[in-house]
Amino acid sequence: MSWAQSVTQCTQSGGMLTSVEDLAESNFLVEHADLYTSKTSGFWIGLYRNVNGQLFWQDNSALDFVNWDEGQPLEDKLAYCVEMSASTGYWSILPCSLQKGFVCKKPKINPFLFVLYLFTDAKKDKDNGHMNMWILLTLVLIILLGLAFMIYFVFKMKTRSETGREEKWRSRHLEYSHSQTTMVDGNDSTNDKEKNEHSVV
């Protein structure tokens, strides 16, 4: 495939042409690329040269590591794309229209992005869309149930504290009204005695 076709293929599979960040990653790629030397001499990677002659990784990684073959990078005005040799791992700038293999790299996914990926993937992939949608709906349902329980317990705790305050207020009010009643009853009995004394005379 050409470099552009390789970019498209990687993007459709949820990745990008690989960036190579260090010698360990380069060696890893060479070990695995060596299995395909009978099919292709090299693989497109995500490094390219823009029209100003600057080199960039397709995934915007920093260009901290290079593994150029002898005599590279060429100053050829028609060569803009970078190939990694399947046998040596060294890089060469070639015309982007050449047919090569390619190496894709998918980003690591954190849980939040995984849910987002499932949602967007469900739109792209019609065959697995229903299953992905069920997984997404299950996750959303679990989150909503968790929120509902949390709201219920917060409301219950708040109601308990308000009920406790009301009970204290009622008991104080009852004590006050009971002491008032006792005082009124005491006054009534005194008045009754006075009435009885007046009537006896």
Side-chain angles (χ1 to χ4, degrees), residues 2-160:
S2 70
W3 193 86
Q5 290 169 328
S6 301
V7 168
T8 302
Q9 192 69 31
C10 285
T11 303
Q12 287 176 349
S13 68
M16 294 185 171
L17 281 175
T18 192
S19 55
V20 184
E21 297 175 15
D22 53 33
L23 186 59
E25 191 171 11
S26 180
N27 290 338
F28 173 82
L29 291 171
V30 170
E31 283 177 34
H32 291 84
D34 193 37
L35 301 171
Y36 300 97
T37 52
S38 63
K39 295 183 180 181
T40 183
S41 62
F43 296 89
W44 292 123
I45 57 175
L47 190 61
Y48 67 96
R49 182 166 55 193
N50 69 8
V51 293
N52 297 328
Q54 299 168 311
L55 292 165
F56 291 100
W57 286 113
Q58 182 197 5
D59 65 2
N60 295 321
S61 296
L63 185 60
D64 295 332
F65 172 79
V66 292
N67 196 20
W68 296 114
D69 202 353
E70 211 173 297
Q72 292 289 333
L74 293 175
E75 296 300 323
D76 185 352
K77 300 290 184 198
L78 298 175
Y80 290 100
C81 300
V82 178
E83 170 220 32
M84 179 187 75
S85 168
S87 58
T88 65
Y90 291 123
W91 305 348
S92 302
I93 291 185
L94 301 172
C96 300
S97 59
L98 293 177
Q99 300 297 304
K100 299 284 180 183
F102 58 95
V103 181
C104 297
K105 185 184 218 179
K106 290 188 179 184
K108 294 177 185 170
I109 299 177
N110 69 31
F112 175 73
L113 291 178
F114 178 67
V115 172
L116 184 63
Y117 172 74
L118 285 176
F119 181 71
T120 56
D121 190 44
K123 288 181 179 178
K124 291 179 189 173
D125 189 2
K126 303 248 189 237
D127 296 334
N128 295 326
H130 293 293
M131 185 166 157
N132 289 340
M133 191 56 82
W134 281 112
I135 292 170
L136 178 65
L137 288 174
T138 303
L139 289 172
V140 168
L141 183 62
I142 289 169
I143 291 169
L144 289 175
L145 282 173
L147 286 172
F149 279 119
M150 189 172 70
I151 290 169
Y152 170 75
F153 286 117
V154 167
F155 177 74
K156 194 171 183 176
M157 289 172 60
K158 185 178 178 185
T159 307
R160 276 188 188 166

